[in-house]
PDB file of all heavy atoms in Angstrom:
ATOM      1  N   PRO A 207      18.211 -17.092   2.458  1.00  0.00           N
ATOM      2  CA  PRO A 207      17.273 -16.601   3.457  1.00  0.00           C
ATOM      3  C   PRO A 207      16.296 -15.571   2.878  1.00  0.00           C
ATOM      4  O   PRO A 207      16.524 -15.018   1.803  1.00  0.00           O
ATOM      5  CB  PRO A 207      18.166 -15.964   4.507  1.00  0.00           C
ATOM      6  CG  PRO A 207      19.344 -15.473   3.726  1.00  0.00           C
ATOM      7  CD  PRO A 207      19.552 -16.505   2.642  1.00  0.00           C
ATOM      8  N   LEU A 208      15.221 -15.338   3.639  1.00  0.00           N
ATOM      9  CA  LEU A 208      14.255 -14.299   3.332  1.00  0.00           C
ATOM     10  C   LEU A 208      14.246 -13.267   4.453  1.00  0.00           C
ATOM     11  O   LEU A 208      14.672 -13.542   5.579  1.00  0.00           O
ATOM     12  CB  LEU A 208      12.840 -14.886   3.213  1.00  0.00           C
ATOM     13  CG  LEU A 208      12.591 -15.999   2.207  1.00  0.00           C
ATOM     14  CD1 LEU A 208      11.143 -16.480   2.343  1.00  0.00           C
ATOM     15  CD2 LEU A 208      12.867 -15.513   0.789  1.00  0.00           C
ATOM     16  N   PHE A 209      13.739 -12.084   4.125  1.00  0.00           N
ATOM     17  CA  PHE A 209      13.463 -11.087   5.156  1.00  0.00           C
ATOM     18  C   PHE A 209      11.948 -10.920   5.240  1.00  0.00           C
ATOM     19  O   PHE A 209      11.293 -10.642   4.236  1.00  0.00           O
ATOM     20  CB  PHE A 209      14.137  -9.749   4.824  1.00  0.00           C
ATOM     21  CG  PHE A 209      15.621  -9.772   5.026  1.00  0.00           C
ATOM     22  CD1 PHE A 209      16.477 -10.076   3.983  1.00  0.00           C
ATOM     23  CD2 PHE A 209      16.163  -9.500   6.274  1.00  0.00           C
ATOM     24  CE1 PHE A 209      17.840 -10.110   4.170  1.00  0.00           C
ATOM     25  CE2 PHE A 209      17.528  -9.537   6.477  1.00  0.00           C
ATOM     26  CZ  PHE A 209      18.374  -9.830   5.430  1.00  0.00           C
ATOM     27  N   VAL A 210      11.412 -11.121   6.417  1.00  0.00           N
ATOM     28  CA  VAL A 210       9.988 -10.948   6.674  1.00  0.00           C
ATOM     29  C   VAL A 210       9.836  -9.690   7.505  1.00  0.00           C
ATOM     30  O   VAL A 210      10.468  -9.552   8.559  1.00  0.00           O
ATOM     31  CB  VAL A 210       9.400 -12.166   7.404  1.00  0.00           C
ATOM     32  CG1 VAL A 210       7.923 -11.959   7.709  1.00  0.00           C
ATOM     33  CG2 VAL A 210       9.600 -13.432   6.571  1.00  0.00           C
ATOM     34  N   ILE A 221      11.524  -6.716  11.799  1.00  0.00           N
ATOM     35  CA  ILE A 221      12.102  -7.451  10.668  1.00  0.00           C
ATOM     36  C   ILE A 221      12.874  -8.669  11.176  1.00  0.00           C
ATOM     37  O   ILE A 221      13.615  -8.582  12.156  1.00  0.00           O
ATOM     38  CB  ILE A 221      13.039  -6.557   9.844  1.00  0.00           C
ATOM     39  CG1 ILE A 221      12.270  -5.356   9.286  1.00  0.00           C
ATOM     40  CG2 ILE A 221      13.689  -7.341   8.715  1.00  0.00           C
ATOM     41  CD1 ILE A 221      13.131  -4.408   8.490  1.00  0.00           C
ATOM     42  N   THR A 222      12.698  -9.791  10.504  1.00  0.00           N
ATOM     43  CA  THR A 222      13.425 -11.009  10.849  1.00  0.00           C
ATOM     44  C   THR A 222      14.079 -11.579   9.606  1.00  0.00           C
ATOM     45  O   THR A 222      13.442 -11.680   8.552  1.00  0.00           O
ATOM     46  CB  THR A 222      12.483 -12.068  11.453  1.00  0.00           C
ATOM     47  OG1 THR A 222      11.785 -11.506  12.562  1.00  0.00           O
ATOM     48  CG2 THR A 222      13.273 -13.277  11.916  1.00  0.00           C
ATOM     49  N   LYS A 223      15.333 -11.944   9.742  1.00  0.00           N
ATOM     50  CA  LYS A 223      16.006 -12.703   8.683  1.00  0.00           C
ATOM     51  C   LYS A 223      15.711 -14.181   8.919  1.00  0.00           C
ATOM     52  O   LYS A 223      16.000 -14.718   9.999  1.00  0.00           O
ATOM     53  CB  LYS A 223      17.510 -12.441   8.722  1.00  0.00           C
ATOM     54  CG  LYS A 223      18.291 -13.158   7.627  1.00  0.00           C
ATOM     55  CD  LYS A 223      19.786 -12.903   7.780  1.00  0.00           C
ATOM     56  CE  LYS A 223      20.584 -13.659   6.727  1.00  0.00           C
ATOM     57  NZ  LYS A 223      22.048 -13.499   6.942  1.00  0.00           N
ATOM     58  N   VAL A 224      15.117 -14.830   7.936  1.00  0.00           N
ATOM     59  CA  VAL A 224      14.692 -16.223   8.063  1.00  0.00           C
ATOM     60  C   VAL A 224      15.590 -17.089   7.196  1.00  0.00           C
ATOM     61  O   VAL A 224      15.588 -16.970   5.968  1.00  0.00           O
ATOM     62  CB  VAL A 224      13.212 -16.381   7.642  1.00  0.00           C
ATOM     63  CG1 VAL A 224      12.760 -17.816   7.866  1.00  0.00           C
ATOM     64  CG2 VAL A 224      12.325 -15.420   8.420  1.00  0.00           C
ATOM     65  N   ASP A 225      16.346 -17.973   7.828  1.00  0.00           N
ATOM     66  CA  ASP A 225      17.303 -18.795   7.100  1.00  0.00           C
ATOM     67  C   ASP A 225      16.699 -20.060   6.505  1.00  0.00           C
ATOM     68  O   ASP A 225      17.218 -20.608   5.537  1.00  0.00           O
ATOM     69  CB  ASP A 225      18.470 -19.177   8.019  1.00  0.00           C
ATOM     70  CG  ASP A 225      19.307 -17.964   8.398  1.00  0.00           C
ATOM     71  OD1 ASP A 225      19.665 -17.196   7.487  1.00  0.00           O
ATOM     72  OD2 ASP A 225      19.583 -17.782   9.597  1.00  0.00           O
ATOM     73  N   ASP A 226      15.610 -20.540   7.114  1.00  0.00           N
ATOM     74  CA  ASP A 226      14.961 -21.744   6.597  1.00  0.00           C
ATOM     75  C   ASP A 226      13.533 -21.804   7.108  1.00  0.00           C
ATOM     76  O   ASP A 226      13.081 -20.925   7.849  1.00  0.00           O
ATOM     77  CB  ASP A 226      15.743 -23.016   6.981  1.00  0.00           C
ATOM     78  CG  ASP A 226      15.996 -23.104   8.480  1.00  0.00           C
ATOM     79  OD1 ASP A 226      15.057 -22.824   9.266  1.00  0.00           O
ATOM     80  OD2 ASP A 226      17.130 -23.432   8.879  1.00  0.00           O
ATOM     81  N   GLY A 229      12.127 -21.132  10.897  1.00  0.00           N
ATOM     82  CA  GLY A 229      11.980 -19.826  11.525  1.00  0.00           C
ATOM     83  C   GLY A 229      10.863 -18.975  10.955  1.00  0.00           C
ATOM     84  O   GLY A 229      10.662 -17.834  11.398  1.00  0.00           O
ATOM     85  N   ALA A 233       8.801 -15.490  12.532  1.00  0.00           N
ATOM     86  CA  ALA A 233       9.050 -14.244  11.806  1.00  0.00           C
ATOM     87  C   ALA A 233       7.743 -13.582  11.390  1.00  0.00           C
ATOM     88  O   ALA A 233       7.599 -12.351  11.486  1.00  0.00           O
ATOM     89  CB  ALA A 233       9.924 -14.510  10.578  1.00  0.00           C
ATOM     90  N   LEU A 249      16.936 -12.120  -0.256  1.00  0.00           N
ATOM     91  CA  LEU A 249      18.219 -11.541   0.120  1.00  0.00           C
ATOM     92  C   LEU A 249      18.892 -10.954  -1.120  1.00  0.00           C
ATOM     93  O   LEU A 249      19.057 -11.652  -2.127  1.00  0.00           O
ATOM     94  CB  LEU A 249      19.115 -12.607   0.747  1.00  0.00           C
ATOM     95  CG  LEU A 249      20.554 -12.169   1.056  1.00  0.00           C
ATOM     96  CD1 LEU A 249      20.572 -11.107   2.149  1.00  0.00           C
ATOM     97  CD2 LEU A 249      21.401 -13.366   1.471  1.00  0.00           C
ATOM     98  N   ARG A 251      22.319  -9.696  -2.296  1.00  0.00           N
ATOM     99  CA  ARG A 251      23.737  -9.713  -1.896  1.00  0.00           C
ATOM    100  C   ARG A 251      24.434  -8.501  -2.504  1.00  0.00           C
ATOM    101  O   ARG A 251      24.356  -8.267  -3.703  1.00  0.00           O
ATOM    102  CB  ARG A 251      24.401 -11.007  -2.350  1.00  0.00           C
ATOM    103  CG  ARG A 251      23.725 -12.247  -1.772  1.00  0.00           C
ATOM    104  CD  ARG A 251      24.445 -13.524  -2.120  1.00  0.00           C
ATOM    105  NE  ARG A 251      23.710 -14.685  -1.659  1.00  0.00           N
ATOM    106  CZ  ARG A 251      23.715 -15.144  -0.402  1.00  0.00           C
ATOM    107  NH1 ARG A 251      24.464 -14.516   0.505  1.00  0.00           N
ATOM    108  NH2 ARG A 251      23.011 -16.207  -0.069  1.00  0.00           N
ATOM    109  N   GLU A 281      22.732  -9.374  12.695  1.00  0.00           N
ATOM    110  CA  GLU A 281      22.563 -10.098  11.427  1.00  0.00           C
ATOM    111  C   GLU A 281      22.338  -9.148  10.267  1.00  0.00           C
ATOM    112  O   GLU A 281      22.643  -9.456   9.126  1.00  0.00           O
ATOM    113  CB  GLU A 281      21.398 -11.069  11.545  1.00  0.00           C
ATOM    114  CG  GLU A 281      21.755 -12.345  12.299  1.00  0.00           C
ATOM    115  CD  GLU A 281      20.864 -13.496  11.869  1.00  0.00           C
ATOM    116  OE1 GLU A 281      19.779 -13.633  12.425  1.00  0.00           O
ATOM    117  OE2 GLU A 281      21.280 -14.243  10.955  1.00  0.00           O
ATOM    118  N   PHE A 282      21.751  -7.989  10.533  1.00  0.00           N
ATOM    119  CA  PHE A 282      21.540  -6.974   9.509  1.00  0.00           C
ATOM    120  C   PHE A 282      21.418  -5.636  10.214  1.00  0.00           C
ATOM    121  O   PHE A 282      21.501  -5.550  11.434  1.00  0.00           O
ATOM    122  CB  PHE A 282      20.304  -7.289   8.645  1.00  0.00           C
ATOM    123  CG  PHE A 282      19.013  -7.398   9.424  1.00  0.00           C
ATOM    124  CD1 PHE A 282      18.161  -6.314   9.542  1.00  0.00           C
ATOM    125  CD2 PHE A 282      18.655  -8.591  10.048  1.00  0.00           C
ATOM    126  CE1 PHE A 282      16.986  -6.408  10.264  1.00  0.00           C
ATOM    127  CE2 PHE A 282      17.474  -8.683  10.773  1.00  0.00           C
ATOM    128  CZ  PHE A 282      16.642  -7.590  10.884  1.00  0.00           C
TER     129      PHE A 282
END
Side-chain angles (χ1 to χ4, degrees):
L208 303 176
F209 286 93
V210 178
I221 300 179
T222 305
K223 182 183 178 185
V224 184
D225 293 312
D226 53 44
L249 174 66
R251 301 185 185 280
E281 282 206 274
F282 59 96

